[in-house]
Structure formats: C-alpha cells, structure tokens
Amino acid sequence: MTLRLGDLAPNFVAETTEGTIDFYEYLGDSWGILFSHPADYTPVCTTELGAVAKLKEEFEKRNVKVMALSVDGIPDHMNWIKDINETQNTTVNFPIIADQDRKISTLYDMIHPNASENFTVRSVFIIGRDKKVKLIIVYPASTGRNFDELLRVIDSLQLTADYSVATPANWKNGEDVVIAPAIKNEDIPAKFPKGHKEIKPYLRMTPQPNL
C-alpha cells in the first residue's frame, strides 16, 4: 500500500512501550507524527529519539502527539530507552511501537526492499486532526532527521489549514506569508487587515495572520 498526501492515515492497534494503543484514540483531536527507525540500538536512532524527547514542550505547544516505530520487540525497546535516556541526557516521553511482524511497517510502506528487506527506512508522517496525511518524508537509514524542520513544517501546515495563505521558501514562524492565488484583490483588505504587498499579480505577501 502506498500512502499519498491527503489519504486517510490507516488506523491500527499496536503493542508499545506504553501498553496497547489504538492509534486514532491516541491522537484524539491532536495532530500526530509517526516516524520509523531501522532498528533498536542503532546510533543515529538513539540521537533522534533523544532529540524528539527534548522537544516535548514544542510538540505540546502545537497540539502534536508523537509515536515512534521499530521492528524490534518491547524488551529491546525498554532496554534501549535506558540507553537513550543515559546518552542523550533526557527521558523518552512517547510510545515506541514494537512491529516485529512488520504489519504497521507494511501498512505505511516503511520497508523499501532496495534499501533493506528487513528494516524500515526513516519514514515520517505528519497527520492532521482530520486523520489525513499532511506530509511524508523518507530518509535513508544513514541520515538522521532534522526535527527543527519538522516543527517548521507543522507551523506551516497548521497556519495554512486555518487561513488562505501559503508559506514561501525557508519560511519560519513569524515571517510574512503568501496570499493564496484564489483570493481576489478586492477581498484582501477584509481577509488580511494587516495589509499586503503585491510583488507580482500572482505573488502577494502579508504579515502572518495569526500573530
């Protein structure tokens, strides 16, 4: 199964380090990040899980719940968490799925046979409150993820979900945004009272509307 942007994220019930979890129930009305790891006790994954744990307050601020996945079992996960907490100077504060039968990995197309027949690649899925897939990024096993970039993308996704705007290249929270092409010039003052700048008829900028 290949998931695409806008698809409904498949629900599942999984054994995790925090007990049996129904994914939809876990998310509730929050946004979600589901991200996979090639295996336990791997160096890059250890740094990634530590980095995510340290961003707990940032995810909570954005109403985002996080869940990780590895194809190893719960005992390995629990012992690995001890290593993560020790070496990354943090406390893992989100569930890690034990996907030994590869059911969830297959459901989310996380195993790419030409990369590895046995292990998941570093897949990231951002899922909206409507349970639809908003973003998919796939990294090779050798490259650790940039979680600051994921926070930036979440800021963009949440902003553009609520306002008729898009975010330009390298945009960061607080910077000007692009007015959607569908908005007519005569409607801009009512929708964007902070004003706007027309660079080209198709490129109109306005201050971020939710600040």
Side-chain angles (χ1 to χ4, degrees):
M1 178 180 180
T2 300
L3 282 179
R4 293 176 175 158
L5 299 184
D7 286 354
L8 195 65
N11 193 26
F12 56 81
V13 176
E15 296 304 315
T16 81
T17 51
E18 297 184 6
T20 303
I21 290 179
D22 178 290
F23 188 48
Y24 277 14
E25 289 182 5
Y26 174 72
L27 292 179
D29 64 354
S30 299
W31 288 64
I33 293 179
L34 176 64
F35 65 116
S36 59
H37 298 270
D40 292 359
Y41 306 111
T42 51
V44 175
C45 301
T46 300
T47 64
E48 288 188 322
L49 290 174
V52 172
K54 291 175 182 176
L55 290 172
K56 184 179 192 304
E57 290 184 3
E58 293 298 324
F59 288 125
E60 288 178 345
K61 191 189 304 182
R62 294 164 172 81
N63 190 29
V64 175
K65 290 186 177 178
V66 176
M67 184 177 283
L69 175 148
S70 172
V71 295
D72 293 309
I74 295 295
D76 277 338
H77 284 1
M78 299 306 290
N79 285 321
W80 184 33
I81 284 173
K82 294 175 185 175
D83 286 355
I84 296 165
N85 292 344
E86 175 192 344
T87 63
Q88 305 305 304
N89 193 29
T90 189
T91 300
V92 172
N93 43 42
F94 51 86
I96 305 174
I97 297 167
D99 192 35
Q100 290 172 290
D101 59 9
R102 275 75 165 165
K103 282 186 178 177
I104 300 165
S105 302
T106 302
L107 191 63
Y108 277 78
D109 195 27
M110 294 173 171
I111 296 177
H112 295 193
N114 289 331
S116 170
E117 292 185 0
N118 299 315
F119 301 117
T120 57
V121 289
R122 297 184 194 282
S123 298
V124 184
F125 297 88
I126 294 180
I127 298 161
R129 289 190 300 266
D130 57 4
K131 305 298 186 290
K132 291 184 178 179
V133 177
K134 305 300 183 183
L135 173 135
I136 302 170
I137 306 178
V138 181
Y139 294 74
S142 57
T143 302
R145 284 163 278 214
N146 184 332
F147 290 96
D148 288 336
E149 166 63 4
L150 291 182
L151 289 175
R152 188 190 78 87
V153 169
I154 289 166
D155 286 340
S156 172
L157 289 168
Q158 293 183 341
L159 175 67
T160 59
D162 294 333
Y163 297 90
S164 300
V165 297
T167 55
N170 301 322
W171 175 87
K172 294 185 182 68
N173 195 30
E175 296 178 349
D176 288 358
V177 296
V178 176
I179 297 172
I183 304 299
K184 296 177 180 178
N185 279 341
E186 57 266 31
D187 296 331
I188 289 177
K191 278 186 169 292
F192 303 103
K194 295 179 182 179
H196 78 288
K197 179 180 180 182
E198 183 175 300
I199 300 167
K200 290 286 184 181
Y202 59 85
L203 179 55
R204 303 163 299 173
M205 307 295 294
T206 189
Q208 185 171 324
N210 64 341
L211 292 180

